Amino acid sequence: MSVSDRTGIRGILAPVASLDRWLQIVFLALLATSAVRYLERHGLGPDGVLVLAGAALLAIAYSVRPLLPTRSWWPTAWVVTVTVLWALLTLAAPSFAWCAVPLGFAVLQVLPFRGAVVVVVLMTALVTVAELRIADGVDPTVIVGPVGIAVVTVLVYRALQRESAARQRLLDELTDAQDELLAAQHRAGALAERERLSREIHDSVGQRLASITLLLAATEQDWQRRPDLARDHVEMAAATARDGLAEVRRVVHDLPPVELADDGTGQALPAALRRLVDETNGPAGGPEVRLHVHGDAVPLPADVAGALLRSARGALANAVEHAAARHVAVSLTYLPDEVRLDVRDDGLGFDAERLGDETHKPGGDADRGSGGRGRGLQGIRDRAAGLGGRASVESAPGDGTTVSVELPLEAP
């Protein structure tokens, strides 16, 4: 909302706040000078007293405008009062015509454009009549001069007002656009954080929960016949649950897995993958998982190593929960400019092309169509893309599944 909308001032010069003070100073100075000039020429007779009284009333009426209400009919009443007083003084003493200049600007501050133009035209006509009364004959410059000045002044300030209004509209549009952009960024940030949490919980906590489920199932089978082995299963399940709780806390705070603390040798990720493989091999009835490391291990950025470890967990969780695999091979390969993770199982497999189409459909529920793999595999893809890498899934019904993740050695 503009200043004129809040205050009720409707004139085209209303936004020029400092102009009002200077107009009042100039107007009062011209009014006083015109009164003094009249007294010097005509003396303090009955007419002089009336002129001085009229000048005093006009000065008071002009000065009280800031104190009057700005809404309803008060601005119009003020314009009528001051212009009538000025007109009477000008007809009595043409020297008061000079007061028309600041008074005209004051009118432009108060009235809308059309009303202000009418008043300025009438004031200009009155100035012309007053000047013709004291001129010798008809002087064209007395007619054309005031009219030309009034027209140019009104048109110039009308153009300024339009430019100011257009600029204000642009500023309002820019402000609205910035607000919309901030809202969109907030929504995008919230959605990205939600997707990150969903992805990390699926790939980190989900795999541990799957391991705990298998361990407890094995415990139930061995509870009577092999209590020592069942106790070992329970202890391993408790340790896995504790690790899962710690991992949840680190995921919430967007921290890399604690087991990836590197000593500078680059062995943190291979060691973490070995522990992951051992955990997955633990439960009876689970698949046999083997780890293969190719190339010379090098230190990796925490987010790259964390992405590879969590992707391995997600892929293993899918192999354990959904693939009914008997063997799983995890391969970590160090190349000159990137590191590659491959998780290959000999399980049931699925239609990878259909899964890819489903996960890219708005609102598509790939989880139901692929035994729950859609969310985890899409999370692996998103995580790799966020680090400047790529992930791919190769599978076919009855032919097992291979999940491959390739990430640059330096995170972007």
Side-chain angles (χ1 to χ4, degrees):
M1 181 181 292
S2 65
V3 175
S4 60
D5 292 335
R6 292 195 301 266
T7 62
I9 300 175
R10 300 161 293 170
I12 64 175
L13 295 185
V16 188
S18 61
L19 181 61
D20 189 47
R21 181 176 65 255
W22 287 105
L23 286 178
Q24 184 174 3
I25 294 173
V26 172
F27 180 81
L28 294 178
L30 289 174
L31 188 63
T33 303
S34 299
V36 171
R37 182 176 182 275
Y38 179 86
L39 291 177
E40 288 179 350
R41 293 199 173 188
H42 302 283
L44 189 59
D47 293 340
V49 173
L50 291 176
V51 169
L52 287 178
L57 287 175
L58 180 57
I60 295 173
Y62 189 96
S63 300
V64 300
R65 182 175 69 84
L67 305 178
L68 297 177
T70 55
R71 300 185 182 276
S72 185
W73 50 271
W74 285 102
T76 303
W78 178 85
V79 170
V80 172
T81 301
V82 295
T83 52
V84 169
L85 288 174
W86 168 82
L88 294 175
L89 288 173
T90 302
L91 291 176
S95 59
F96 285 98
W98 288 103
C99 298
V101 177
L103 184 59
F105 283 109
V107 171
L108 290 173
Q109 280 191 304
V110 174
L111 294 183
F113 179 70
R114 295 181 183 274
V117 168
V118 172
V119 175
V120 170
V121 168
L122 294 177
M123 292 174 62
T124 303
L126 184 60
V127 169
T128 302
V129 171
E131 292 295 332
L132 288 177
R133 286 179 55 194
I134 61 176
D136 296 332
V138 179
D139 186 353
T141 59
V142 174
I143 301 175
V144 177
V147 173
I149 293 174
V151 170
V152 171
T153 301
V154 172
L155 291 180
V156 166
Y157 280 97
R158 176 63 168 174
L160 291 176
Q161 186 266 344
R162 287 178 173 175
E163 182 180 354
S164 176
R167 184 165 55 250
Q168 185 61 45
R169 285 195 298 270
L170 290 177
L171 290 175
D172 293 340
E173 292 175 1
L174 178 60
T175 302
D176 293 340
Q178 289 176 336
D179 292 341
E180 293 177 1
L181 178 60
L182 289 175
Q185 289 176 339
H186 178 74
R187 291 193 298 270
L191 180 60
E193 180 65 8
R194 176 182 175 183
E195 292 179 351
R196 183 189 72 83
L197 290 174
S198 174
R199 180 173 63 242
E200 303 305 340
I201 289 174
H202 178 279
D203 291 346
S204 59
V205 182
Q207 190 270 342
R208 285 189 165 91
L209 291 177
S211 298
I212 292 173
T213 301
L214 293 177
L215 285 168
L216 294 179
T219 300
E220 184 179 7
Q221 294 176 1
D222 297 332
W223 188 263
Q224 298 293 337
R225 294 177 300 169
R226 293 180 290 180
D228 293 340
L229 184 58
R231 187 178 299 107
D232 292 340
H233 290 332
V234 171
E235 291 177 356
M236 187 176 298
T240 303
R242 288 192 296 269
D243 292 342
L245 179 59
E247 183 66 16
V248 167
R249 292 169 178 165
R250 301 186 69 83
V251 166
V252 169
H253 295 287
D254 198 16
L255 297 175
V258 67
E259 58 264 43
L260 291 179
D262 206 329
D263 58 0
T265 64
Q267 294 299 320
L269 178 60
L273 289 175
R274 290 190 186 95
R275 285 193 293 272
L276 175 62
V277 167
D278 292 340
E279 291 176 4
T280 309
N281 278 324
E288 178 186 359
V289 185
R290 293 187 178 183
L291 173 66
H292 307 278
V293 179
H294 307 284
D296 297 329
V298 297
L300 298 175
D303 48 359
V304 172
L308 291 172
L309 179 58
R310 286 167 174 160
S311 297
R313 283 177 179 164
L316 283 176
N318 281 336
V320 172
E321 294 177 30
H322 310 299
R326 291 179 299 172
H327 302 88
V328 182
V330 179
S331 300
L332 181 66
T333 305
Y334 290 91
L335 300 174
D337 57 348
E338 66 180 13
V339 59
R340 174 172 179 147
L341 173 73
D342 296 290
V343 180
R344 167 70 182 174
D345 68 64
D346 59 357
L348 299 176
F350 59 95
D351 189 346
E353 293 184 0
R354 187 182 66 82
L355 176 64
D357 293 339
E358 289 295 326
T359 55
H360 287 86
K361 287 181 180 179
D365 189 357
D367 289 350
R368 284 197 299 266
S370 59
R373 290 185 175 228
R375 184 180 301 276
L377 295 178
Q378 186 59 38
I380 292 174
R381 292 190 184 100
D382 294 340
R383 184 186 295 111
L387 292 173
R390 55 191 177 277
S392 60
V393 179
E394 297 179 3
S395 184
D399 196 25
T401 301
T402 300
V403 178
S404 300
V405 180
E406 301 171 16
L407 296 179
L409 293 179
E410 293 294 335

